[in-house]
Each structure stands twice: as C-alpha cells, then as structure tokens.
Amino acid sequence: MQLKYKYLYIVSVLLLLSGAALALTEQRLFDVLYALGAVGYGLYYVVAPERDASPLLRRVARMGVFSGLLFLLSAVARFGLFDAFGRGAWLVFLALGLLYMIYGNVLLYLDDKKKK
C-alpha cells in the first residue's frame, strides 16, 4: 500500500466508526459521516495498492474493496432503503464489513511478523 494515502485510511475509519457509534442518536449528520467514511475506506483500497505488490497484499486489497462495498451498503441501509428487512439491516452489513476488515488486518500482521 502506498503511504501517501495513509491519512485517507485513518480519517475514513474514524468517520466510519464514529458514525456507527453515534447511530443511536438517529441524526442525519451521523448517517452522512458514516457514508463518507464508507466511501473513503473503499476508495483507499482502490487507489492505494501498488502494481507490483505481493499476492498477499493484492488479496488484502481485494478484501478491503469488498469490505468497503459492504460498508457502503450499510450506509445506504442507514438512510432507510432496506427498511423492508428491518431497521437493523445496516448492522448486518457493518458486521460483515468489520469481519473482512479485521481478517485483512490480521493477515497483514501475521505477514509482517513472519518477515521479521
């Protein structure tokens, strides 16, 4: 991953997590912050990978794009588009996205540990 996009990742994850944590207030501002975080997170994994990356980094980047899409679906559900499936449908997409996010980060950690 290219280091010049590091702050895009950090800000996006902070927006995503703060928007998810403040969902209890049911204000549109936090839904918008959550959606911006989801877009930024997905965008990071689209623009940050290097062309000559290892197969593991490319797999983690693909998982990050999929996780970003799940977060984006979750953000769309926050605006009420999936209310036919219940008001908590966004939590399902959030949980799946977090699962992929954590798994990708664990893979990167284990790869770093193996290299040392």
Side-chain angles (χ1 to χ4, degrees):
M1 302 293 177
Q2 297 178 19
L3 288 178
K4 64 182 177 181
Y5 298 111
K6 172 176 73 170
Y7 294 111
L8 174 64
Y9 179 80
I10 292 169
V11 169
S12 298
V13 169
L14 287 176
L15 285 173
L16 192 68
L17 293 177
S18 63
L22 296 170
L24 297 174
T25 62
E26 296 184 5
Q27 292 196 7
R28 283 289 178 209
L29 173 65
F30 300 126
D31 294 342
V32 171
L33 290 178
Y34 183 80
L36 286 174
V39 169
Y41 182 83
L43 187 64
Y44 169 77
Y45 279 106
V46 170
V47 299
E50 297 173 355
R51 299 273 182 225
D52 56 344
S54 68
L56 177 72
L57 282 177
R58 285 185 289 172
R59 182 171 52 170
V60 169
R62 284 191 304 269
M63 290 173 57
V65 169
F66 185 65
S67 179
L69 289 174
L70 287 170
F71 289 143
L72 197 59
L73 277 173
S74 178
V76 168
R78 294 263 307 252
F79 287 105
L81 265 56
F82 298 134
D83 279 351
F85 300 106
R87 295 263 311 142
W90 72 276
L91 289 170
V92 173
F93 294 118
L94 173 66
L96 288 173
L98 284 174
L99 187 70
Y100 274 93
M101 177 189 204
I102 291 169
Y103 180 64
N105 286 329
V106 166
L107 282 179
L108 289 176
Y109 172 75
L110 291 176
D111 186 53
D112 261 0
K113 193 174 177 181
K114 187 169 61 170
K115 286 180 182 177
K116 290 181 182 181

